[in-house]
Amino acid sequence: MSDCSQLPSPGDLNVLNGKKRLRNRIYQVKPSVGRVVLFLLCGSSSRGLPGDLLQAKTAMGFPDHPVSLVLLISLVFGVSDAIRTLKEGPMIDAEGREYKMINLGDHSPPMHSGRPTVRVECTEVSMILFIKADFYNNGRLVSPQDLFLGGAEYSKGKQCQAVDAGDGEYVIEADLQECGSKLTISEDDLVYSNNLILSPPVGSLGITRVAEAVVPVSCHYKRTHTVSSTVQKEPLTFSVLSKFPLGSSPISLKLKTDDWLGEEYSNTFFLGDPVHLEASYTGPDKRKLFIDVCVATLSPDSTSVPRYCFIDNHGCFVDAKDGGLNSFFQPRLKPSSLRFQLNVFLFQNDLRNTIYLTCEIKATRQLWNSSPTSKVCNYMHSSWKNVDGTDGVCQCCKGVCRNQQPQDEICDTLTLGPLIIIPRK
């Protein structure tokens, strides 16, 4: 039987605060049962018990006999949760409320490695995004269907949607003016900006395991038409809408530099700037080249609306008559080619800043003679002038130039573009 002569007095044991070192261990004591517990720890003897504890023992009906220890075993198990080691048990504040400190060290979210998961490349006409499937660098792969460029209205657009490129990477390639891109003009730069959106689906129970994200992306261009990331080295591509396989047509349409000495590889112009073009025939035989019609549209489809016809009626440069002060055919250097120029423009009330030029071009065996349907006519000083000689063939530009029976002509329809037109500040 334990000796309670060493039992601390009530003054030494702060039952309300609940901490005391007994038998070299620290115990947490609930105030409501603390004194009964101390009684149990000391055994059944009443010797040395404080008066209030003795009264509690007697009030509970426990006789002062060793057999009583056996009877109290069940009570020991019933109140055993009143004594817990401090490092495992709840803490009790000054007002008697319980709380427990939990170590979150093993449950913290995974740290991102810091490696970029979105990379942007800029060309003369497009913005290309390379996106890691492991978008957050945490091992959870996102779906390409959840990634798109621009606002929600572009989430289903084919050009704005990410596609799987293999090797754990997705790609989005969009024209600079597509997918809600915004153009900002400063003194030295042109900036096309947009947002890459990650919009994961919500589960059937209303939960999501991947956070939404908005990643700003942009392409920067110098006002000297140089792309900040890479400069396009290939000639501006054109589509061939004819019987010739791609790239095999003997007729071509190209942009030229301001001095006409080389091909222009940039397709970005400021509103009102002159654009120089050259049509050529490179077939094995000698032929003379003519341009019947040229139209400007907002898409590669030359029949789309709006459309503007700047050369019409079998070689009449009608844009000069409609206010194009810098629109005319250059004097011929050789029969098989034609150079012409005009100031670039935009369509009113349309936010798109690109145009496509489509021309119907032919090469005939008539090397010397002009006709109402094979002519090169400029509008100068309020009258029509023929680049190749006799002005009389241009008089039908005032009305309708009747189509004659074609005689051994090689024809092609070429589309050049897009030309990006930047409004001036």
Side-chain angles (χ1 to χ4, degrees), residues 36 43 65 77 89 98 115 117 125 191 206 220 244 280 287 309 314 319 333 336-337 343 357 359 397 403 408:
V36 177
H65 192 277
F77 287 106
E98 293 185 0
R115 296 174 298 168
T117 57
V125 296
V191 180
H220 296 248
F244 298 105
S280 301
R287 290 178 179 268
C309 186
H314 298 283
D319 184 57
L333 297 180
S336 60
S337 68
N343 293 340
L357 306 180
C359 294
C397 292
N403 189 15
D408 194 16

Side-chain angles (χ1 to χ4, degrees), residues 148-282:
F148 56 90
L149 191 62
E153 63 271 27
Y154 303 102
S155 61
K156 302 303 180 183
K158 184 176 181 181
Q159 191 175 26
C160 309
Q161 180 76 50
V163 296
D164 194 343
D167 296 329
E169 192 171 58
Y170 307 141
V171 174
I172 299 176
E173 182 173 6
D175 291 345
L176 290 174
Q177 73 279 3
E178 295 294 334
C179 305
S181 179
K182 295 181 180 179
L183 172 64
T184 303
I185 303 176
S186 66
E187 184 175 351
D188 298 319
D189 297 305
L190 308 173
V191 180
Y192 286 88
S193 57
N194 211 328
N195 289 321
L196 172 66
I197 308 296
L198 170 62
S199 181
V202 179
S204 59
L205 299 179
I207 65 172
T208 181
R209 303 183 188 279
V210 179
E212 293 185 347
V214 178
V215 182
V217 293
S218 60
C219 283
H220 296 248
Y221 300 83
K222 292 297 183 182
R223 295 188 71 171
T224 56
H225 303 167
T226 301
V227 184
S228 61
S229 59
T230 56
V231 179
Q232 184 173 329
K233 298 300 183 182
E234 297 296 326
L236 190 66
T237 58
F238 56 85
S239 60
V240 179
L241 309 177
S242 74
K243 61 182 180 180
F244 298 105
L246 185 62
S248 67
S249 174
I251 297 176
S252 63
L253 180 64
K254 297 180 180 180
L255 286 175
K256 302 294 286 187
T257 56
D258 292 348
D259 57 9
W260 300 97
L261 296 180
E263 188 171 352
E264 177 61 76
Y265 296 112
S266 172
N267 66 329
T268 304
F269 301 86
F270 288 98
L271 183 62
D273 280 355
V275 57
H276 302 81
L277 303 106
E278 182 178 65
S280 301
Y281 170 74
T282 56

Side-chain angles (χ1 to χ4, degrees), residues 302-344:
S302 61
T303 63
S304 62
V305 177
R307 64 196 298 266
Y308 173 64
C309 186
F310 57 93
I311 297 177
D312 198 10
N313 218 356
H314 298 283
C316 303
F317 213 136
V318 294
D319 184 57
K321 189 175 181 180
D322 292 336
L325 300 180
N326 199 30
S327 300
F328 58 90
F329 291 106
Q330 292 280 342
R332 282 190 191 266
L333 297 180
K334 53 185 179 180
S336 60
S337 68
L338 262 180
R339 292 176 174 178
F340 59 103
Q341 64 184 64
L342 71 158
N343 293 340
V344 293

